[in-house]
């Protein structure tokens, strides 16, 4: 539509192309271009990786393909795939899983996550697209970025200093790149705020990332003419590295799966050896072999493949729910996705290396044990981030430090201290709701943490989780203090003791 105006001429053809003056010159040139256009070489350039159906055949698009052009911008240019695979490449990838490079609690989930990534497209067709990120937590020097880069090497050439995305990028740029990185693994590196203002900025970025990957939705925006732009949700999987998890609440925490890397967890000698293999393209070739195996084994009938993935996901999710009945609803789903990634990887390994079924079963049983342990830890992390648990924890800290106080209900003093927030007996704390809420919220602000619930929703949540003694569908109850009756929050001391939050 811009052809006739020729405003594009200098930008596209540079100053070497001079358009002669004259009223009809543009029309002659336009006519010449259009009549010779059929002679021009036509090239389709793909700017998104991953599976695509072209002429009724499925292709896994990645830079490095001689037959299809795939171009990614900026730091994304490290992505690529060598287009051949032999038994040695597959064997080296299995040796990485079985090695002592890092604890099995780290290597197994990361390997499963890497090989889950090419399944995203077909899991989405099945209605069960992965909705979580992997959070690799470790102190500085623990080699978390280097380890993340090693597993990204299944999809390109990466080092710990050359990872595709960083928390120093804006949230919008991260999520726009995440849309282009379809059916591959990426890494958003270094959640490490240097001060309060930066902490708030990076926490907001982390929240946006968790929501985008956890919900698989993009921001809806309008064009200048008020028409709706296409949304660009993330289409691949992401590892996040950081020295500590962000304070993004229970809902945000439920959208990532945490792996903790100790200071001396990584064997540096083995790391160097596997980095050499990565630099040689060994892991890229293995991933190419995996996508070829998917084409040969499953993609003659992609609808059947999606149905198989759906059935396996729902079965594994239900099994994890039985084994971890009190955990957050997202935890069994995350564990099921990771197990599917490992199942597909080991099936590929057994097919290419001719391993016995007993070898497959041994590793899968080991991974299930690891997942159950990690799932229990993740469930605890999510519970600790509940606003109710945070409120009770902070309240106990305030009472133990004498920052606030509660008075004896049976014999209240004549004068009430300024920091008094209520009363107590052997069974309950009787608290002024607004005063207790204000004290906890102030402590959270001083510690650089958020506390999003106002007093009324907090009371409701405490009541629903059994922290409060209630009556007549009210979350507060009357209590007799001296000669007066007051309506207060009845917080159970037994519940606090059972949760291990205070010495009461």
């Amino acid at each position: 539509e811009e052809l006739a105006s020729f405003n594009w001429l200098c930008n596209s053809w540079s100053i070497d192309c001079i358009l002669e003056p004259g009223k009809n010159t543009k029309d002659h040139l336009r006519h010449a271009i259009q009549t010779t256009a059929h002679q021009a070489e036509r090239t389709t350039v793909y700017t998104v990786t991953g599976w695509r159906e072209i002429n009724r055949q499925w292709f896994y698009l990645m830079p490095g393909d001689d037959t299809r052009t795939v171009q990614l911008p900026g730091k994304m240019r490290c992505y690529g795939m060598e287009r051949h695979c032999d038994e040695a490449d597959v064997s080296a990838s299995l040796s990485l899983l079985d090695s002592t490079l890092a604890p099995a609690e780290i290597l197994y989930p990361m390997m499963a996550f890497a090989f889950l990534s090419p399944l995203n497209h077909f899991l989405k067709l099945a209605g069960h697209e992965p909705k979580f990120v992997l959070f690799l937590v470790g102190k500085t020097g623990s080699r978390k970025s280097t380890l993340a880069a090693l597993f990204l090497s299944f999809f390109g050439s990466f080092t710990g200093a050359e990872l595709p995305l960083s928390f120093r990028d804006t949230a919008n740029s991260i999520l726009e790149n995440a849309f282009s990185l379809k059916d591959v693994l990426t890494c958003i590196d270094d959640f490490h705020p240097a001060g309060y203002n930066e902490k708030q900025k990076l926490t907001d970025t982390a929240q946006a990332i968790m929501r985008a990957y956890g919900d698989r939705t993009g921001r809806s925006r309008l064009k200048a003419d008020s028409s709706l732009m296409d949304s660009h949700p993330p289409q691949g999987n992401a590892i996040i590295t950081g020295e500590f998890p962000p304070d993004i609440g229970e809902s945000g925490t439920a959208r990532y799966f945490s792996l903790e890397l100790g200071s001396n967890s990584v064997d540096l000698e083995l790391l160097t050896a596997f980095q050499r293999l990565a630099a040689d393209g060994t892991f890229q070739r293995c991933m190419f072999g995996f996508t070829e195996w998917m084409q040969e084994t499953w993609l003659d009938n992609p609808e059947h493949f999606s149905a198989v993935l759906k059935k396996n996901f729902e079965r594994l999710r239900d099994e994890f729910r039985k084994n971890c009945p009190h955990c957050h609803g997202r935890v069994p789903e995350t564990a099921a996705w990771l197990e599917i990634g490992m199942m597909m990887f080991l099936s590929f390994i057994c097919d290419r290396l001719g391993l016995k079924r007993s070898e497959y079963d041994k590793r899968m049983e080991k991974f299930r044990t690891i997942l159950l342990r990690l799932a229990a830890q993740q469930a605890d992390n999510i519970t600790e981030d509940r606003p109710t648990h945070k409120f009770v924890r902070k309240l106990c800290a305030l009472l133990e430090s004498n920052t606030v106080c509660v008075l004896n209900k049976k014999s209240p003093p004549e004068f009430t201290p300024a920091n008094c927030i209520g009363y107590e007996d052997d069974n309950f704390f009787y608290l002024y709701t607004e005063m207790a809420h204000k004290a906890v919220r102030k402590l959270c602000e001083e510690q650089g943490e958020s506390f999003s619930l106002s007093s009324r929703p907090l009371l409701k949540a405490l009541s629903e989780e059994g922290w409060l003694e209630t009556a007549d569908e009210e979350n507060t109850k009357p209590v007799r203090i001296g000669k007066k009756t007051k309506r207060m929050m009845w917080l159970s001391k037994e519940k606090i003791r059972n949760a291990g939050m205070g010495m009461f």
Side-chain angles (χ1 to χ4, degrees):
E1 64 185 18
E2 298 176 0
L3 176 63
S5 71
F6 283 92
N7 295 330
W8 51 269
L9 191 65
C10 288
N11 289 333
S12 299
W13 287 1
S14 188
I15 60 174
D16 293 334
C17 179
I18 302 172
L19 190 62
E20 293 294 335
K23 292 183 178 180
N24 297 321
T25 305
K26 287 186 178 181
D27 280 339
H28 284 297
L29 184 54
R30 175 192 55 76
H31 182 264
I33 290 173
Q34 288 181 312
T35 55
T36 59
H38 64 279
Q39 301 172 15
E41 180 182 346
R42 295 176 180 267
T43 302
T44 300
V45 178
Y46 298 95
T47 58
V48 177
T49 62
W51 290 106
R52 190 181 184 97
E53 189 177 17
I54 304 171
N55 297 326
R56 297 185 179 181
Q57 188 175 356
W58 286 95
F59 295 95
Y60 189 74
L61 300 177
M62 285 287 282
D65 190 344
D66 294 334
T67 58
R68 287 163 293 277
T69 304
V70 182
Q71 292 181 359
L72 299 174
K75 292 186 290 184
M76 306 304 108
R77 291 173 184 163
C78 291
Y79 281 92
M81 187 170 285
E82 295 192 13
R83 297 276 159 175
H84 61 276
C85 176
D86 57 32
E87 188 174 304
D89 301 320
V90 179
S91 181
S93 300
L94 181 61
S95 70
L96 171 59
L97 179 69
D98 292 338
S99 73
T100 57
L101 168 65
E105 286 78 2
I106 302 293
L107 294 180
Y108 269 71
M110 293 188 75
M111 185 68 81
F113 199 47
F115 281 83
L116 174 69
S117 300
L119 306 178
N120 274 28
H121 180 90
F122 301 101
L123 281 164
K124 183 177 181 179
L125 294 180
H128 295 300
E129 187 177 13
K131 295 182 178 179
F132 72 104
V133 300
L134 207 61
F135 203 127
L136 191 57
V137 181
K139 293 181 180 179
T140 182
S142 61
R143 301 298 194 277
K144 55 186 180 295
S145 297
T146 307
L147 196 60
L150 184 64
F151 282 90
L152 256 66
S153 296
F154 283 101
F155 301 93
S157 299
F158 298 95
T159 66
E162 293 179 312
L163 288 169
L165 300 171
S166 165
F167 273 92
R168 271 54 191 174
D169 303 329
T170 65
N172 284 341
S173 71
I174 291 171
L175 296 178
E176 189 64 28
N177 284 319
F179 172 76
S180 299
L181 299 174
K182 179 176 179 286
D183 303 332
V184 301
L185 184 62
T186 193
C187 178
I188 307 160
D189 191 37
D190 198 23
F191 179 83
H192 177 57
Y196 177 78
N197 291 335
E198 188 179 32
K199 180 179 180 181
Q200 189 58 49
K201 178 183 175 183
L202 297 190
T203 300
D204 290 344
T205 299
Q207 185 75 269
I209 292 167
M210 301 303 180
R211 296 286 172 183
Y213 277 96
D215 300 330
R216 294 290 176 175
T217 56
R219 289 181 60 190
S220 294
R221 290 172 285 184
L222 297 179
K223 299 178 183 177
D225 62 358
S226 294
S227 60
L228 194 64
M229 297 174 64
D230 292 335
S231 64
H232 286 172
Q235 300 188 93
N237 292 331
I239 297 172
I240 290 178
T241 68
E243 294 192 17
F244 54 88
D247 179 23
I248 53 177
E250 177 189 9
S251 179
T253 303
R255 286 166 166 79
Y256 68 77
F257 197 74
S258 180
L259 304 177
E260 295 188 17
L261 194 63
S263 300
N264 300 310
S265 294
V266 176
D267 186 318
L268 299 184
E269 188 174 338
L270 275 176
L271 177 62
T272 301
F274 283 116
Q275 283 177 317
R276 290 196 188 102
L277 290 173
D280 187 48
T282 298
F283 300 135
Q284 292 181 44
R285 294 192 291 272
C286 178
M287 185 57 70
F288 172 70
F290 180 71
T291 59
E292 272 197 324
W293 175 78
M294 284 181 62
Q295 286 175 309
E296 297 165 3
T297 309
W298 295 104
L299 298 189
D300 284 342
N301 189 344
E303 291 77 15
H304 173 67
F305 184 38
S306 295
V308 170
L309 290 174
K310 176 182 176 70
K311 182 178 179 181
N312 283 334
F313 171 80
E314 293 174 353
R315 174 179 60 82
L316 294 169
R317 178 195 60 193
D318 293 343
E319 287 178 4
F320 270 96
R321 281 176 178 168
K322 291 177 183 177
N323 292 322
C324 196
H326 302 297
C327 63
H328 191 282
R330 282 182 174 266
V331 174
E333 293 181 349
T334 299
W337 281 314
L338 288 172
E339 189 164 354
I340 284 176
M342 182 59 70
M343 287 169 60
M344 291 294 288
F345 170 66
L346 291 179
S347 296
F348 161 67
I349 292 289
C350 289
D351 184 75
R352 288 294 188 261
L353 299 183
L355 296 185
K356 295 179 180 179
R357 179 72 187 187
S358 59
E359 293 291 319
Y360 172 94
D361 291 339
K362 181 179 70 174
R363 289 179 177 86
M364 283 305 304
E365 186 61 33
K366 180 177 181 179
F367 187 45
R368 289 190 185 100
T369 302
I370 290 170
L371 275 180
L372 284 170
R373 188 158 56 246
L374 291 175
Q377 293 175 5
Q378 181 69 11
D380 290 342
N381 292 339
I382 295 170
T383 299
E384 288 179 5
D385 281 339
R386 285 180 183 171
T388 50
H389 282 244
K390 180 179 283 192
F391 173 80
V392 176
R393 253 193 345 265
K394 299 296 183 185
L395 179 66
C396 291
L398 288 167
L399 290 169
E400 289 171 357
S401 64
N402 294 320
T403 305
V404 298
C405 71
V406 289
L407 306 176
N408 191 323
K409 171 181 172 288
K410 296 178 181 178
S411 55
E414 186 177 350
F415 298 101
T416 303
N419 66 340
C420 173
I421 60 169
Y423 301 86
E424 68 172 329
D425 59 20
D426 293 339
N427 299 316
F428 294 97
F429 288 115
Y430 306 94
L431 303 175
Y432 296 107
T433 303
E434 295 295 338
M435 295 176 68
H437 178 266
K438 181 179 179 180
V440 167
R441 193 160 191 167
K442 181 181 178 182
L443 178 61
C444 288
E445 290 173 357
E446 291 172 352
Q447 295 178 341
E449 300 179 26
S450 63
F451 191 82
S452 56
L453 285 188
S454 58
S455 57
R456 189 179 294 274
L458 174 65
L459 271 177
K460 182 179 179 182
L462 287 168
S463 175
E464 288 174 349
E465 294 180 24
W467 293 95
L468 303 183
E469 179 82 9
T470 60
D472 301 327
E473 298 183 357
E474 293 287 336
N475 297 323
T476 58
K477 287 179 63 176
V479 57
R480 185 78 174 176
I481 307 295
K483 297 181 179 180
K484 296 181 179 180
T485 300
K486 304 178 181 182
R487 182 169 283 276
M488 307 180 82
M489 175 200 310
W490 289 36
L491 183 61
S492 169
K493 286 188 174 182
E494 182 181 3
K495 177 81 172 180
I496 295 173
R497 282 192 294 268
N498 291 340
M501 292 188 187
M503 304 298 292
F504 304 111

